[in-house]
Amino acid sequence: MAAEEVSERDPLAQKKKPLSDDDKRRKKMVPGGLMKATIRPGGGESTPKDGDQVVYHCTVRTLDGVVVNSSKSEFGGKGIPIRQVLGKSKILLGLLEGMPTMLKGEVAMFKIKSQLHYGEEDCPVPVPSNFPKDDELHFEIEMIDFFKPKVVSDDLGVVKKVISEGQGWETPREPYEIKARISGKTCDGKWISSCEWTEPYLFTFGKSEIPKGLEMGIGTMTKGEKALIFVTRQYLTDSPMLPLIEDFEEIHFEVELVHFVQVRDMLGDGRLIKRRIRDGQGDFPMDCPLHDSRLRVHYKGMLLDNENSLFYDTRIDNDGQPLEFSSGEGLVPEGFEMCVRLMLPGEIALVTCPPDYAYDKFPRPPNVPAGAHIQWEIELLGFEMPPDWTGLNFRSIMDDAEKIRTTGNRLFKEGKFELAKAKYEKVLREFNHVNPQDDEEGKEFLNARNLLNLNVAACFLKLGESRKSIENCNKILDANPGHVKALYRRGMAYMTAGDFQEARNDFESMIKYDKSSEPDASAALLKLKQKEQEVERKARKQFKGLFDKKPGEISDAGSELNNESSDAVVDGKVADQKEDMTDDTESIPEDNDASPRVSWFSRLWPTGRRLFTALGMDRCSIL
């Protein structure tokens, strides 16, 4: 009675797990429809469960003993055991119920009525038309093995059985270099001579040097793991390791993953390659250097020429002292830093680097020619994590933030806008956990945050992402509509994007809120006028004779006009714009003007709205 009351009060207790397709099929079971007789007992106590792979032989007979189908060679079969995964494979209903009662090595006879085998309505297992599917049949099952598999392919064409676990969690992927002991047998236990080695087999992952299914299985293994990988015909592709596969229905590969070398294609185009030649300490990637870490490395620099000419070695040319640098500050070539940040302490890596990620964009050593491809051998001795602001007082936090911002300013002036943006954004993320304690600290904190958002906006503008620049300016203007620097920077972003009216509104608002900003605003408005005239000139040139064209030519002209307009917008980027990265501006807390209303036509075709505005036709009606 108490249980009923709980059920009524708690509707969640009444919810049941949705029935699977096999559970729905089990409702078709009828008394006497499935009978079992043990012919040979099995061993152990465990029986197959849902999700287990079962490996078995099956012989089907009529009730008078005539064999109608069998997997065993002595009864006309191929001698290949059947492999299925309970709950995933298509299995006869009677066997779906019967096999979970069997032990390993057991042989049992199941007497099954027709509606529980091939005569089942909507039976998922096909059968020849002359098969006695409407008769009651005997199914002799020999349970060879069962285990919890790793399903590698959804169609169960590649399945793995773990024999012994490996170390760590990292698994091979393209283009890792693999060393593995591999042997292969057919389903009936015959060794494949071309696939039987005592020495480890060396291959590169992703280069089709082994059958596809075997590579898929190895791709789920960890270092030192031993496994049995079942691969069916559709995954037995030709390869140097196993060139002849026509006669194989399935191969069972025994694999020991001895070792793999982590090889990373850093750019995805094969130009910047990091190859680990000695493992480091710790877990990848959790124990790799973070952004802004202080790193210590020894390295050798070589030219990728015929002699691999050595041009620098810290152990020789730096008095045996390692190179120390902070990541994220542009102090070493970009390719060098990208690879070091994916290393573990103690690791040695060999890096091949193209010139544009080496010294063509970085101060070049005197003995490195322009356009040279470089190879570095790098050893990461160790690194120090960036300081944690937890427990620091407000003054210490703001001083540290100012140092990072100053570094960002240097990177900005050097044209390294992505790195500069990363510095500013790092401080902004950390600011989410800073709580000023009084009005004075609050004002300092707000000014610093606004300045960082302005700097991020400037970086986005330099990177050609004007819309993101506008979003960062809005973070300031939403709270303080009269922030003159934010208005100026947003106006520049609008002008770059070709939104001239929005830019004009921002520049005029600068004068409204702060008379001292009038010279900067006037210069910006003059620049805006020049850009508008440039767009108008290009548009008039494109429109010239437009309406003299034949009807079929108008759409082409419009397409050309759109392209010309887009070019004008791109050309409209302010190349000589000066960005003040250090000075702050006083806030003027006044309400901003309401935004102009935008018509439905302008929303559908914003480029067209800008074009008609530039031509003085913004008041035209579309009938």
Side-chain angles (χ1 to χ4, degrees), residues 276-283 343-348 380:
R276 181 192 290 171
I277 57 178
R278 188 181 79 186
D279 290 344
Q281 300 173 352
D283 294 325
M343 294 177 66
L344 294 168
E347 178 182 337
I348 297 178
L380 177 59

Side-chain angles (χ1 to χ4, degrees), residues 308-497:
N308 279 0
S309 305
L310 180 69
F311 63 83
Y312 194 84
D313 186 345
T314 51
R315 289 184 170 87
I316 299 173
D317 301 301
N318 200 36
D319 297 326
Q321 297 300 312
L323 170 69
E324 296 191 14
F325 67 97
S326 294
S327 60
E329 297 188 2
L331 300 174
V332 296
E334 187 176 357
F336 189 101
E337 180 168 330
M338 287 173 65
C339 294
V340 173
R341 289 182 58 188
L342 289 179
M343 294 177 66
L344 294 168
E347 178 182 337
I348 297 178
L350 199 62
V351 175
T352 57
C353 184
D356 53 327
Y357 281 79
Y359 295 108
D360 278 12
K361 295 182 180 179
F362 193 81
R364 187 182 302 112
N367 47 354
V368 175
H373 286 73
I374 304 299
Q375 184 174 81
W376 291 297
E377 182 182 300
I378 307 170
E379 179 182 1
L380 177 59
L381 302 176
F383 63 91
E384 297 176 5
M385 302 282 281
D388 187 358
W389 287 358
T390 304
L392 295 182
N393 59 40
F394 181 79
R395 183 75 271 135
S396 298
I397 291 174
M398 297 307 292
D399 289 345
D400 195 22
E402 178 60 21
K403 291 178 183 177
I404 299 174
R405 191 182 73 85
T406 302
T407 301
N409 294 349
R410 173 181 62 79
L411 293 167
F412 186 93
K413 291 174 183 177
E414 293 173 358
K416 299 172 182 176
F417 305 120
E418 282 286 1
L419 291 177
K421 181 169 69 71
K423 292 293 181 185
Y424 303 137
E425 290 178 334
K426 168 187 167 61
V427 181
L428 284 170
R429 286 194 301 272
E430 295 296 331
F431 270 7
N432 291 330
H433 309 290
V434 176
N435 297 306
Q437 299 300 310
D438 54 44
D439 291 344
E440 193 66 29
E441 289 184 355
K443 182 178 179 180
E444 180 182 358
F445 177 77
L446 179 62
N447 289 339
R449 189 173 62 185
N450 286 345
L451 192 55
L452 287 163
N453 275 312
L454 283 173
N455 292 355
V456 172
C459 291
F460 276 128
L461 197 55
K462 291 293 187 182
L463 293 168
E465 300 186 62
S466 54
R467 293 298 169 190
K468 291 184 178 179
S469 179
I470 292 168
E471 290 173 8
N472 272 86
C473 293
N474 287 340
K475 292 178 181 178
I476 303 171
L477 293 169
D478 287 345
N480 183 5
H483 197 289
V484 174
K485 274 194 174 181
L487 287 168
Y488 177 79
R489 195 145 294 163
R490 189 175 71 175
M492 287 296 183
Y494 275 134
M495 183 165 61
T496 302

Side-chain angles (χ1 to χ4, degrees), residues 69-317:
N69 190 19
S70 180
S71 61
K72 292 187 174 182
S73 55
E74 58 263 38
F75 296 118
K78 295 182 179 180
I80 300 174
I82 300 168
R83 280 194 310 107
Q84 291 178 314
V85 177
L86 296 178
K88 293 188 177 182
S89 300
K90 297 176 180 180
I91 304 176
L92 296 175
L93 179 54
L95 298 184
L96 186 65
E97 282 290 290
M99 284 194 292
T101 68
M102 299 184 68
L103 300 171
K104 188 177 294 186
E106 179 181 342
V107 178
M109 182 71 76
F110 293 95
K111 183 180 179 182
I112 307 178
K113 290 187 179 294
S114 62
Q115 62 267 39
L116 302 184
H117 56 72
Y118 298 102
E120 177 191 357
E121 184 179 357
D122 298 325
C123 178
V125 184
V127 68
S129 57
N130 60 350
F131 194 88
K133 64 179 183 179
D134 297 326
D135 296 346
E136 191 172 5
L137 299 173
H138 283 155
F139 288 75
E140 182 184 307
I141 304 297
E142 179 184 356
M143 183 61 67
I144 299 172
D145 193 13
F146 59 85
F147 54 88
K148 186 67 68 177
K150 166 69 177 177
V151 177
V152 180
S153 65
D154 292 337
D155 61 359
L156 307 179
V158 183
V159 175
K160 183 183 80 171
K161 175 185 179 181
V162 177
I163 299 173
S164 61
E165 298 285 350
Q167 301 173 351
W169 64 271
E170 189 177 8
T171 56
R173 59 179 176 271
E174 187 177 351
Y176 282 24
E177 296 171 358
I178 312 298
K179 180 189 292 186
R181 290 189 176 89
I182 307 173
S183 60
K185 292 182 181 180
T186 60
C187 300
D188 54 1
K190 295 179 182 178
W191 289 97
I192 302 171
S193 58
S194 62
C195 185
E196 197 175 348
W197 297 282
T198 54
E199 292 298 319
Y201 186 69
L202 305 177
F203 67 95
T204 300
F205 201 92
K207 299 294 184 182
S208 302
E209 296 175 6
I210 62 174
K212 177 182 177 182
L214 176 59
E215 186 173 78
M216 290 169 64
I218 291 177
T220 68
M221 298 177 68
T222 56
K223 193 175 298 183
E225 180 180 334
K226 295 181 181 179
L228 185 62
I229 300 174
F230 301 84
V231 183
T232 54
R233 177 193 289 272
Q234 67 267 35
Y235 291 98
L236 291 172
T237 55
D238 288 327
S239 66
M241 188 195 80
L242 193 61
L244 301 174
I245 60 169
E246 293 84 359
D247 299 331
F248 300 137
E249 288 289 336
E250 181 174 295
I251 296 179
H252 302 168
F253 293 98
E254 292 184 17
V255 180
E256 178 186 359
L257 185 53
V258 178
H259 185 70
F260 57 78
V261 174
Q262 185 194 72
V263 181
R264 291 191 171 273
D265 186 347
M266 303 297 295
L267 302 175
D269 57 9
R271 297 192 304 136
L272 178 57
I273 300 294
K274 171 185 174 287
R275 183 177 183 271
R276 181 192 290 171
I277 57 178
R278 188 181 79 186
D279 290 344
Q281 300 173 352
D283 294 325
F284 179 88
M286 289 76 74
D287 294 321
C288 293
L290 296 174
H291 202 66
D292 299 319
S293 296
R294 185 73 180 172
L295 299 98
R296 292 179 293 109
V297 302
H298 270 305
Y299 78 94
K300 296 178 183 178
M302 294 158 280
L303 300 178
L304 277 179
D305 53 18
N306 294 332
E307 295 82 21
N308 279 0
S309 305
L310 180 69
F311 63 83
Y312 194 84
D313 186 345
T314 51
R315 289 184 170 87
I316 299 173
D317 301 301

Side-chain angles (χ1 to χ4, degrees), residues 542-543 545-561:
Q542 192 67 37
F543 264 117
L546 173 65
F547 296 102
D548 297 331
K549 295 179 180 288
K550 296 178 181 180
E553 298 176 338
I554 291 179
S555 60
D556 294 337
S559 175
E560 294 171 3
L561 175 62

Side-chain angles (χ1 to χ4, degrees), residues 583-601:
D583 297 333
D584 199 1
T585 315
E586 290 185 2
S587 302
I588 306 175
E590 296 183 22
D591 295 332
N592 201 2
D593 295 337
S595 300
R597 295 180 61 185
V598 180
S599 69
W600 64 269
F601 175 73

